[in-house]
Amino acid sequence: MSQDFRLKDGGLINRDKKISFKFNGKKYFGYEGDTLASALIANGVHLVGRSFKYHRPRGFFGAGVDEPYAIIQLYRNGETEPNIKATEQELFEGLEATSVNCWPSVNFDIGAINNFLKIFLPAGFYYKTFMWPKSFWYKIYEPFIRKAAGLGTASIKHDKERYEHKYEYCDLLVTGSGPSGLASAYAAAKNGASVILAEDKSRFGGTLLTNDVNIGNQSGKEWAESIISELKEMPNVTVKNRSQVFGYYDHNMLVMSERISDHLPRTKKFHPKQRLWYIRAKEVLISSGSIERPIVFGNNDTPGVMLSSAAKEYMKVYGVLVGKNPIIFTNNDSGYETAVEFKKNGIDATILDTRINPKSEIIDEATNLGIKIKYSYVVVAAKGYKKVKSADIAKISDDKEKLGSIENIKCDCICVSGFWTPTIHLASQSGNKTKFDEDIDAFVPGLSKQNERTLGAANGVFTLDETLKSSFETGYKISKQITNKENKVSFPNVIEKKSSVHDKFWCVPLPKGKNYKRFLDFQNDVAVSDIEIALKEGYRSIEHVKRYTTLGMATDQGKTSNLNGLQLVSKIENKVVPAVGHTTFRPPYSPVSIGAIVGREVGKHSKPTRKSPMHSWHEKNNAVFVDAGVWLRPRYYKRGNENLFEASKREAKNVRTNVGVCDVTTLGKIDIKGADATELLNRVYTNAWSKLPVGKARYGVMLREDGIVMDDGTTTRISDNHYHMTTTTAQAANVLSHLEYYLQLVWPELNVNVVSTTEQWAGAAIAGPKSRNLLQKLFPNSNVSNDGLPFMGYMEADLFGVKARIFRISFSGELAYEVNVESDNGNFMWEKIIEYGEEFKIQPYGTEALSTLRIEMGHVAGSELDGRTIPYDNALEGLLSKKKDFIGKRSLSRKAFTADDRQKVVGVVPLDKKTSIPEGSHLVKDSKAPLPNPKLGYISASCWSVEYDNPFSLAILKDGKNMIGQKLFVMSPLKNKVIPVEIVSSHYVDPKGERVRS
Amino acid sequence: MLHIKCPHCGMRSQNEFSYGGDASVKRPQLGSEVSDQDWDNFVYNRKSLRGKHWELWQHLSGCRQWIKVERDTATHEIFKTLKASEEIS
Ligand SMILES: [Zn+2]
């Protein structure tokens, strides 16, 4: 297809590079530098989608970020992405895109029946209709809404693209590279400030690219280019295009999304697709410009009705005509600039100006060029369904209430200008108290909350001379405060046309007997009548009206609809606009891809992965790993076709009969030193530590202030004032913070230092009846006999030339030791243990066997110490010192904690000795009792006892101490199981603890 | 994201810190008699103020020191930060 609407020359596109692309399956051509929108318009394509609610035909309305209509589904390099604005998507070779919101096709859309049913779809329709009957929701309403609604389809494939995050600090962040942005960035940079200049579009310059102005004897575009190229060379300046500052957060932190590869057919190797910048700026200069507002009239959503500034941009930047027979409908001088541009390209436009008799330079120019101008005229309604074919126009009375007789004139587009709305989103997000400016009929930033200032059009200043002057001045002043320098750049001479005042007219009245839809929000299909209904139904607060009608709630966040919506509410309510107030602006200013927000923190990178020094040995020996906090731990070592159950049973059994070795590097370790180290332990542990001799370990329990068990572990006295504390893997970080809290804030007088040594030591637990025999082989020069190293003993020893610490402690309930060496020697230690353990039939065991061993011994662990249990519940009340106070002690005397029937840990065995018990199941007295069946307790941990070869569980049970021998039921509604069980002692194996002391 | 001045390290981003609650709470001395009411107030009862509030933060990914921060809970403005050893003025 030929580009019938492409001008012969002009524009900033590269006509030497033709690009082919597909839209809705059809092939077209454009040029390098086009957007998908400009290329489609060049090919005469104006129908790009269907609207959200009524499925009315949708074309293009703008030329950039404000676009409410042209949302497309993009296909790029085998991936698809929804919710892309065709006006922002740069063209690349092989681009493919499809319309959204239409089925089966954009030309014939079944959902358009909503349009004919629109009488049934007024404001709040969804709230009112789809509420009942409830049974209809899943089968009828939801599928219907899902199919008919939405702005595209999210990919369900894993996103292979890479997204990065970057943190940056600067003196000055300038958002937008229009005249105010360039001038302020330049003045500040020349005065030594570090500056980041962010431009949302691919081209720098903003309105300087489209406005006929002269700065320092250069065209606006040339001036912008020279400033940008100079800024790019400066070492203290970062200049970024395709980069949108979308959020203004606390303490002057702004977030910017940089689209690095979206304009390319595929992302270059080692490049990210997008990069999210977290920028902490000392000062922010908001130079985000303004967005043209529409004037509301009948059928103003017809394809071909668009913003006048967009029509001009398509001509000047892309060399594209939006139509060949245009009507310009304006209430200010901006429309004339578009008409003059059309004329320069040989197209005669008709201007309808709502003003009575305006005078200005540009109006004179238009008149002299012979452009047809009709004053006090309005467009009453656009005619045509899939494209504007003509317009009903009429003269309007001076009070703007009465329409004259309707005339119909042919046209192929209607370019609307209802004056300009400053883009105050960022200022508002920062907490700025915005104020209403009567002169421009819009909100502008008021009192700053953070270090932010708004310049130029975003601040309601619409003359170039004033914009540049204030921006140069502000850039200089702010940089001087930061750098203390006084390098002032000279101010260029500016030539621009003076404009006359705009007319505050914004909505064309309905002619008698006509009921045209007059749209305010083009993306969410909110019309004047919807707002009227909402107000009639009693909605008053603008925030409520917004939510009820969905005005301004679409992905464009009402960039073109908010102010007109406010005008309407204030008119009906007979209030002034500032009294109605505007809705809150929230980040992001424009949609940001989820990938960019997540960054590199996906999959395995979502948290750090910690591996023990023996990790590669585990890998080589078929370990199957499990996440334990941030650690990767062997869950079991697979032999042949074994599954988890078989392998863990074999490993646990081998510990009970021979000897096993388990990697316990992950246990938290804290080194405690200082004259008051013992006193600290006395205060944070429930038991007493003063009498622990050097070279001995002790089990300790730590509480929170509320009496709940926080953690447990063994602590060993290395020397008089030096302890080695161990914590559970999961609580290691919390315990260190807990100790630091008390040492720094509550007892600063204690002379103690604590430091984490978790990563400094590699640990191996050697457990089983033959563990001592193995130890004797490993440490032939040390006395590891029962006398030389008794239960809870500690010694330092030599492991074939490597310094080692041996603790005789046991988690498995067997005779057991833990050997620690410096991390670098971890693998050496492990290999020696395996080598010398061979004659004792040693097997490595993983966390699953470890768990089995501790459960059948009745050792409580994380699943019982779950942040809801006190020492008594865990049968740890024997460790509560009566002689001293400790953290959490006072809470233990609370009534509930001392109740006679307080919950306590028990053992649970199924009566059939076969059915395994799901963890998390409930214990009840009567399995057939009516619901809600009173719950007596819950299963905290389950295993297959290798000692007795039947299932065994631990449970926290109400009145546990008096329940031993009782028959109850385990119920798991989740797994649909009812299991008759007997309550037994939690110490299922070796209840007297003889093995550990043997 | 807040920007917090650690008295030991300087201005750092919030993600280096963890929040530690009301800084004005004083733990009763170990070994002292404490009524049920006073203990409840110490363990559970907090004011949840709107406005200026002294709170504890730990510079977890920095110097690991607990610090005191005077912050407006509504506006996030930070007025003052103190070391653990310094008394709230
Ligand atoms: Zn610090």
Side-chain angles (χ1 to χ4, degrees):
Chain A
M1 206 169 166
S2 57
Q3 300 181 41
D4 282 346
F5 289 81
R6 183 78 71 178
L7 293 167
K8 278 201 183 61
D9 44 35
L12 308 177
I13 46 167
N14 178 11
R15 289 173 189 261
D16 294 332
K17 199 159 173 208
K18 219 171 173 185
I19 287 179
S20 75
F21 68 101
K22 271 186 185 167
F23 182 65
N24 284 335
K26 200 166 170 180
K27 195 170 177 183
Y28 300 95
F29 289 98
Y31 292 115
E32 186 179 73
D34 261 327
T35 59
L36 175 58
S38 66
L40 283 171
I41 297 172
N43 285 282
V45 178
H46 278 266
L47 179 62
V48 285
R50 292 276 174 166
S51 74
F52 191 65
K53 199 157 85 183
Y54 302 127
H55 287 235
R56 286 163 71 110
R58 284 290 179 255
F60 300 96
F61 195 70
V65 67
D66 49 325
E67 178 62 37
Y69 292 159
I71 309 290
I72 53 101
Q73 182 89 20
L74 182 75
Y75 299 85
R76 173 179 172 272
N77 193 24
E79 293 287 343
T80 183
E81 206 176 334
N83 202 12
I84 302 287
K85 295 184 190 90
T87 51
E88 289 192 305
Q89 179 60 50
E90 293 172 58
L91 207 62
F92 54 77
E93 184 59 41
L95 180 150
E96 287 185 42
T98 56
S99 299
V100 296
N101 258 348
C102 51
W103 181 79
S105 83
V106 69
N107 266 304
F108 176 74
D109 176 39
I110 284 178
I113 197 140
N114 287 3
N115 190 23
F116 301 107
L117 297 175
K118 67 192 169 204
I119 187 152
F120 302 118
L121 284 167
F125 171 77
Y126 290 85
Y127 295 113
K128 289 169 190 162
T129 309
F130 292 150
M131 298 297 286
W132 65 84
K134 207 178 157 190
S135 59
F136 269 41
W137 181 254
Y138 295 107
K139 282 183 184 152
I140 295 170
Y141 297 151
E142 195 188 316
F144 168 75
I145 293 172
R146 286 212 184 279
K147 186 145 185 117
L151 297 165
T153 319
S155 170
I156 54 167
K157 280 198 290 182
H158 170 67
D159 189 348
K160 286 176 299 208
E161 297 277 2
R162 191 156 119 177
Y163 301 86
E164 283 183 352
H165 285 181
K166 184 177 167 73
Y167 292 81
E168 196 57 88
Y169 290 79
C170 64
D171 292 335
L172 202 63
L173 172 64
V174 182
T175 68
S177 73
S180 56
L182 287 176
S184 55
Y186 187 71
K190 282 285 185 188
N191 200 28
S194 70
V195 176
I196 297 175
L197 174 62
E199 169 57 46
D200 172 35
K201 294 196 165 189
S202 63
R203 295 175 183 85
F204 295 99
T207 51
L208 292 173
L209 300 179
T210 52
N211 284 357
D212 277 326
V213 292
N214 187 296
I215 307 172
N217 292 324
Q218 288 174 297
S219 73
K221 179 177 157 279
E222 285 161 355
W223 182 79
E225 277 163 3
S226 67
I227 295 281
I228 279 291
S229 55
E230 202 173 330
L231 285 173
K232 277 182 175 166
E233 293 304 313
M234 294 173 75
N236 53 327
V237 181
T238 304
V239 174
K240 283 282 164 192
N241 61 339
R242 302 189 177 100
S243 297
Q244 178 156 75
V245 178
F246 66 78
Y248 200 134
Y249 299 88
D250 292 308
H251 296 186
N252 255 35
M253 196 195 73
L254 293 94
V255 185
M256 170 171 96
S257 90
E258 183 187 5
R259 302 180 306 276
I260 294 167
S261 310
D262 297 65
H263 64 294
L264 302 171
R266 61 179 64 220
T267 307
K268 282 188 207 151
K269 208 174 179 187
F270 306 125
H271 280 225
K273 182 163 188 266
Q274 294 176 3
R275 182 182 288 127
L276 212 65
W277 293 56
Y278 293 88
I279 302 170
R280 190 80 72 173
K282 284 194 188 126
E283 297 280 344
V284 176
L285 292 179
I286 298 168
S287 48
S288 44
S290 56
I291 291 172
E292 201 165 24
R293 331 191 246 281
I295 301 175
V296 179
F297 56 88
N299 298 332
N300 55 337
D301 64 330
T302 311
V305 177
M306 66 194 324
L307 292 174
S308 140
S309 57
K312 189 173 72 171
E313 188 170 335
Y314 283 117
M315 284 186 274
K316 293 209 80 161
V317 176
Y318 303 102
V320 165
L321 289 172
V322 299
K324 293 179 180 175
N325 187 17
I327 287 179
I328 314 279
F329 179 26
T330 187
N331 68 4
N332 69 97
D333 282 5
S334 302
Y336 289 80
E337 293 174 22
T338 305
V340 167
E341 192 60 33
F342 267 119
K343 186 74 188 177
K344 283 182 189 164
N345 288 301
I347 301 291
D348 288 313
T350 305
I351 298 176
L352 306 188
D353 192 331
T354 64
R355 295 175 293 184
I356 300 161
N357 190 18
K359 292 262 177 291
S360 77
E361 280 179 63
I362 184 85
I363 297 174
D364 289 345
E365 187 183 343
T367 314
N368 293 338
L369 283 170
I371 295 169
K372 200 193 284 173
I373 305 166
K374 286 168 165 285
Y375 297 115
S376 292
Y377 254 82
V378 295
V379 173
V380 176
K383 296 280 164 171
Y385 182 58
K386 287 176 190 167
K387 180 77 197 291
V388 173
K389 292 198 173 100
S390 67
D392 279 354
I393 64 169
K395 206 163 171 95
I396 191 158
S397 60
D398 289 358
D399 64 1
K400 311 288 184 196
E401 298 288 342
K402 283 186 263 335
L403 293 172
S405 56
I406 306 285
E407 308 155 40
N408 184 270
I409 60 170
K410 294 265 173 267
C411 64
D412 63 356
C413 67
I414 301 172
C415 306
V416 194
S417 178
F419 206 57
W420 298 86
T421 306
T423 304
I424 58 168
H425 296 65
L426 284 178
S428 170
Q429 286 174 20
S430 86
N432 187 299
K433 292 259 172 288
T434 58
K435 59 182 188 214
F436 193 75
D437 183 335
E438 293 285 347
D439 290 340
I440 63 167
D441 235 19
F443 286 93
V444 291
L447 203 62
S448 301
K449 193 188 132 194
Q450 304 197 42
N451 293 343
E452 123 273 314
R453 272 164 246 232
T454 305
L455 298 167
N459 197 29
V461 177
F462 294 114
T463 65
L464 182 63
D465 192 52
E466 204 185 330
T467 292
L468 286 182
K469 263 190 193 132
S470 61
S471 302
F472 270 107
E473 194 55 37
T474 309
Y476 169 74
K477 254 202 240 156
I478 287 180
S479 57
K480 189 182 157 193
Q481 282 167 18
I482 297 169
T483 65
N484 282 321
K485 290 182 185 161
E486 295 188 4
N487 303 317
K488 213 166 176 173
V489 287
S490 61
F491 179 72
N493 187 41
V494 173
I495 304 169
E496 65 181 318
K497 295 187 187 83
K498 283 192 186 64
S499 353
S500 58
V501 290
H502 87 288
D503 177 9
K504 291 184 181 178
F505 181 79
W506 66 277
C507 183
V508 180
L510 283 176
K512 267 198 194 103
K514 295 288 183 189
N515 199 18
Y516 298 121
K517 276 270 173 197
R518 293 171 297 168
F519 284 94
L520 292 164
D521 183 319
F522 304 103
Q523 202 175 80
N524 266 357
D525 277 3
V526 181
V528 169
S529 51
D530 294 311
I531 304 285
E532 287 168 349
I533 288 174
L535 290 164
K536 232 181 258 171
E537 291 183 358
Y539 289 89
R540 287 296 174 271
S541 153
I542 189 67
E543 296 282 357
H544 293 164
V545 171
K546 163 183 159 178
R547 278 159 186 80
Y548 192 57
T549 62
T550 72
L551 174 79
M553 282 175 69
T555 63
D556 70 337
Q557 286 201 23
K559 291 183 178 66
T560 50
S561 63
N562 273 342
L563 265 176
N564 284 339
L566 287 177
Q567 293 281 11
L568 178 59
V569 173
S570 63
K571 190 181 158 202
I572 299 172
E573 289 282 282
N574 208 8
K575 282 181 186 163
V576 288
V577 172
V580 175
H582 64 75
T583 54
T584 316
F585 292 104
R586 296 181 207 281
Y589 171 67
S590 185
V592 182
S593 77
I594 300 282
I597 292 168
V598 175
R600 298 293 301 278
E601 294 174 16
V602 288
K604 276 282 164 204
H605 295 296
S606 56
K607 58 181 198 287
T609 302
R610 295 170 85 182
K611 296 173 182 173
S612 94
M614 288 84 93
H615 187 82
S616 54
W617 190 95
H618 304 320
E619 274 180 332
K620 273 181 234 147
N621 288 273
N622 298 324
V624 176
F625 292 93
V626 63
D627 288 322
V630 292
W631 291 90
L632 270 184
R633 296 189 73 177
R635 192 171 184 193
Y636 62 100
Y637 299 82
K638 196 181 173 86
R639 288 189 178 175
N641 289 326
E642 276 179 342
N643 60 22
L644 165 69
F645 179 70
E646 292 157 351
S648 62
K649 222 161 101 172
R650 166 182 53 74
E651 291 169 7
K653 200 152 185 132
N654 192 59
V655 172
R656 293 270 185 250
T657 48
N658 297 307
V659 60
V661 59
C662 180
D663 187 346
V664 291
T665 303
T666 61
L667 281 188
K669 302 172 204 75
I670 297 169
D671 211 54
I672 303 174
K673 271 185 181 170
D676 296 317
T678 311
E679 180 59 20
L680 171 69
L681 297 180
N682 275 329
R683 294 181 184 189
V684 297
Y685 275 134
T686 62
N687 45 346
W689 291 78
S690 305
K691 289 179 184 150
L692 182 72
V694 170
K696 277 285 204 178
R698 182 165 284 175
Y699 176 72
V701 173
M702 217 177 263
L703 307 187
R704 311 192 308 217
E705 291 285 15
D706 61 3
I708 299 290
V709 179
M710 180 180 182
D711 197 44
D712 68 341
T714 55
T715 292
T716 306
R717 194 164 197 171
I718 307 287
S719 68
D720 259 355
N721 295 330
H722 183 194
Y723 289 86
H724 173 81
M725 175 186 275
T726 65
T727 74
T728 58
T729 302
Q731 290 291 331
N734 290 345
V735 171
L736 184 65
S737 266
H738 181 77
L739 298 180
E740 287 166 336
Y741 173 90
Y742 286 100
L743 286 174
Q744 293 172 23
L745 288 158
V746 186
W747 311 311
E749 70 279 7
L750 291 188
N751 177 8
V752 187
N753 279 301
V754 293
V755 68
S756 165
T757 53
T758 301
E759 288 176 28
Q760 277 62 41
W761 297 100
I766 300 172
K770 293 178 185 162
S771 55
R772 184 180 294 125
N773 306 53
L774 171 55
L775 228 63
Q776 276 159 347
K777 298 270 177 181
L778 290 170
F779 303 98
N781 301 323
S782 300
N783 178 8
V784 293
S785 67
N786 204 18
D787 296 332
L789 185 57
F791 181 54
M792 296 308 262
Y794 162 77
M795 66 161 58
E796 282 157 25
D798 174 84
L799 179 75
F800 307 111
V802 164
K803 207 172 70 185
R805 288 174 164 186
I806 312 173
F807 306 85
R808 187 170 162 194
I809 51 177
S810 176
F811 191 55
S812 58
E814 293 297 327
L815 170 67
Y817 303 86
E818 269 183 40
V819 182
N820 280 8
V821 294
E822 287 168 7
S823 284
D824 288 350
N825 298 322
N827 208 45
F828 172 82
M829 165 185 71
W830 190 268
E831 283 178 346
K832 287 290 174 204
I833 292 169
I834 297 290
E835 182 189 335
Y836 284 81
E838 207 151 317
E839 63 172 292
F840 307 108
K841 296 191 172 140
I842 195 166
Q843 287 182 20
Y845 64 100
T847 56
E848 199 69 21
L850 185 73
S851 213
T852 296
L853 293 166
R854 75 94 185 167
I855 292 169
E856 62 176 5
M857 279 289 170
H859 286 175
V860 290
S863 48
E864 290 76 37
L865 311 177
D866 63 351
R868 296 181 293 178
T869 54
I870 57 170
Y872 175 86
D873 305 349
N874 295 292
L876 297 170
E877 65 274 21
L879 290 168
L880 304 177
S881 170
K882 294 197 174 68
K883 292 187 187 137
K884 55 143 191 156
D885 198 0
F886 51 82
I887 296 302
K889 186 178 191 180
R890 178 65 180 78
S891 288
L892 295 178
S893 55
R894 287 177 60 203
K895 229 178 184 172
F897 289 176
T898 53
D900 265 354
D901 60 352
R902 178 74 199 175
Q903 61 181 7
K904 190 158 203 169
V905 64
V906 293
V908 178
V909 178
L911 293 186
D912 68 359
K913 304 260 174 128
K914 269 187 222 145
T915 313
S916 48
I917 300 169
E919 290 177 345
S921 307
H922 293 184
L923 283 157
V924 298
K925 199 169 182 75
D926 176 3
S927 67
K928 300 208 165 74
L931 297 174
N933 194 343
K935 172 186 155 186
L936 302 177
Y938 57 94
I939 302 294
S940 58
S942 286
C943 73
W944 189 278
S945 165
V946 289
E947 186 87 8
Y948 298 110
D949 202 25
N950 58 252
F952 176 74
S953 296
L954 292 177
I956 305 288
L957 182 63
K958 192 175 180 183
D959 197 20
K961 72 170 188 294
N962 294 318
M963 297 294 277
I964 309 295
Q966 298 260 1
K967 305 253 176 5
L968 298 175
F969 292 93
V970 160
M971 298 194 67
S972 173
L974 204 64
K975 304 213 161 163
N976 203 16
K977 273 189 172 177
V978 178
I979 308 163
V981 294
E982 184 180 353
I983 304 304
V984 298
S985 159
S986 60
H987 299 292
Y988 197 42
V989 173
D990 188 24
K992 288 185 186 149
E994 285 162 348
R995 295 181 190 180
V996 293
R997 290 181 174 79
S998 63
Chain B
M1 194 162 25
L2 306 184
H3 211 202
I4 302 170
K5 186 178 174 189
C6 171
H8 310 280
C9 310
M11 297 300 287
R12 298 299 178 97
S13 272
Q14 185 185 343
N15 50 2
E16 294 186 12
F17 295 84
S18 72
Y19 181 69
D22 189 338
S24 66
V25 176
K26 280 248 179 312
R27 193 194 191 285
Q29 285 238 303
L30 276 176
S32 60
E33 283 274 313
V34 189
S35 69
D36 284 353
Q37 175 88 61
D38 288 349
W39 189 254
D40 279 355
N41 284 339
F42 161 62
V43 177
Y44 299 106
N45 298 331
R46 297 291 181 270
K47 283 196 185 103
S48 191
L49 291 171
R50 184 183 198 277
K52 273 192 181 186
H53 185 228
W54 276 101
E55 51 201 23
L56 295 171
W57 291 76
Q58 189 184 14
H59 195 189
L60 210 61
S61 311
C63 62
R64 294 204 62 91
Q65 293 301 300
W66 284 87
I67 61 168
K68 297 168 186 174
V69 178
E70 189 184 34
R71 182 179 68 106
D72 189 307
T73 56
T75 65
H76 291 314
E77 187 176 352
I78 291 176
F79 306 97
K80 211 171 178 187
T81 56
L82 296 174
K83 296 177 183 173
S85 58
E86 292 171 322
E87 284 302 317
I88 296 168
S89 47

